[in-house]
Amino acid sequence: MEEINLPVEGKETIVPNGKEEKSLNFIEQIVEKDLAEGVNNGRIQTRFPPEPNGYLHIGHVKAICMDFGIAEKYNGVCNLRFDDTNPAKEDTEYVETIERDIRWLGFKWGQIFYASDYFQQLYDLAIMFIKQGKAYVDEQTAEQIAEQKGTPTEPGVASPFRDRPIEENLRLFEAMQRGEIEEGKMVLRAKIDMANPNMHFRDPIMYRIITSHPHHRTGTKWKVYPMYDFAHGQSDYFEGVTHSICTLEFEVHRPLYDYFLDQITGPNFAGLSPYGPDYRPKQREFNRLNITYTVMSKRKMLQLVKEGLVAGWDDPRMPTVCGLRRRGYTPQAIRNFMDKIGYTKVEGMIDQGLLEHTIREDLKETAPRVCAIFDPVKLVITNYEGNGETLVAENIDGHPELGSREMKFSRELWIERGDFLEEADNKFYRLSPDGREVRLKASYIIQATGCEKDADGNITTVYATYDPDSKSGTEGGNRKTKATINWVECNSALDAEVRLYDRLFAVENPSAEEGDFRELLNPDSLKVVTAKVESSLAHAKMQDHFQFLKQGYFVVDDDSKPDHLVFNRTCSLKDNYLK
Ligand code: ATP
Ligand code: MG
């Protein structure tokens, strides 16, 4: 896979009036052509078809933005269809979280469907296929069937059961559904062409037996379950989907999608779809999303969750929608990211830095700035006489319309240990006891006078004097210093648990490496520290975003309580992507 930073299609073009207008992506071009030609009477219907076997991840969001986006843009409808044809892996827990995550992203579906709604119709169609001599029951093992598939250049080998009489196929398939045949002992295969250059035509499996797990909606009613290829196109057809948009790996399935539809559409089947004999759904494919330093597979994510290698599906290091939310990503930033990467037919790898860039751009405009001291040392202002005072600081400098907050100030403050050096050279602009002036953020100018150390030589207290006429917001506040440092007043400071997250994997493309992907996890992906934060944060609510000055963007975690504040680092301030 080649590394792609920005795709060719979907890029922004500058139009003369100075407004940025997006060029159409190739799917939008197809839709506009269909509309111009009056295909399907100008009706636009899409669907998002997740399998409820895990939580949605950012890869799914790319599909969601496409499916819902097309419907929104062209006055159509996008339905949500749960592709629940494998009871062994599916659960209502996943159905609920998928709905919740789509809503959180800000999309609205028309109706909710389930592939399991069509089990009876699909079964009836399978019976029809058998009666027409287009399907047979195979008693070989999965391995035997795989061995006979051939290669793209060599034809496959026909199953010894391929030509069994129609009556026998019917009897056996019905026995499969009655639960009389053990799981894994028989499958129903379409009888198409064992020599077809498209391997998917070499008698694909239509039905398998699953009796070991009840279905989350239909219980134990069904013992046979349709395979993806036999269920997906038909489900689209029953519902009236016009544009069945999916990812590129399904491109090779498309002829089979069309083949199965060919068998059930046309004048003989007027009752199967409400949209008349001319209506046909069409499958279209775009490139999957892959992002560096993470994995994009529900199977692998499930493994990380089950083995406790992360704290859950919503662990802020996970590329899941709920993980991103907890990490501090906003729906807008995620959708902006999808706009930036666009849709093409080329598989590639997107730099995780671009994802971080989009959330940084979003929070830059909105997140209030506050002081948080990560490695505190005490600063005593020896000439400060009063009992303290309350200063007012703008949430974002230069933006009074975004509000302000109160900051307690008094004689004793916490500052970053690294902001003081006993002996500094002229490259260091912050505090040092050599007469230089430094401004305390949104406050006064101070000069360090000395420090105190413990027996090991560690600095325990820094001493300074302040200039009462230098307060920010007054005339003296305009006096410039080479450096501004952050501080939090000692008496009112709150202790906050701060979770410093980093990328989940240590290697750029864990899926491309040999061996166990779990061994590629970044051992330093989480560091927990305690910081001294401003008292204004006492009222911070879940999902509130802040910039901790000089540290990064942080969000209030779901675990946070008034007496135990918890913040997650969304991203650092430094943008490696722009570089
Ligand atoms: P996974 O491989 O993680 O199990 P999946 O493709 O099996 O994912 P589904 O629930 O079947 O998951 O996917 C629902 C829809 O989301 C499909 O249309 C699929 O093409 C799309 N999708 C899944 N992963 C990605 C991705 N990485 N990029 C874009 N679309 C994706
Ligand atoms: Mg799938």
Side-chain angles (χ1 to χ4, degrees), residues 49-51 53 60 83 228 249-250 288 298:
E51 183 178 358
N53 63 350
H60 293 116
D83 201 356
Y228 174 88
E249 72 271 23
F250 292 104
R288 278 179 87 81
K298 280 186 281 193

Side-chain angles (χ1 to χ4, degrees), residues 143-200:
E143 294 73 41
Q144 286 170 317
I145 293 175
E147 276 163 22
Q148 293 166 354
K149 271 265 149 143
T151 67
T153 49
E154 283 169 74
V157 174
S159 160
F161 300 98
R162 194 170 199 263
D163 290 318
R164 72 189 338 157
I166 288 175
E167 283 313 313
E168 201 175 305
N169 284 318
L170 262 183
R171 189 172 52 73
L172 287 172
F173 187 55
E174 284 166 357
M176 283 164 67
Q177 166 51 20
R178 278 196 303 271
E180 291 163 13
I181 317 286
E182 212 183 302
E183 193 169 310
K185 293 287 183 215
M186 290 183 191
V187 291
L188 183 71
R189 293 177 73 180
K191 189 172 179 177
I192 311 180
D193 179 4
M194 287 306 290
N196 199 297
N198 182 332
M199 305 273 288
H200 293 280

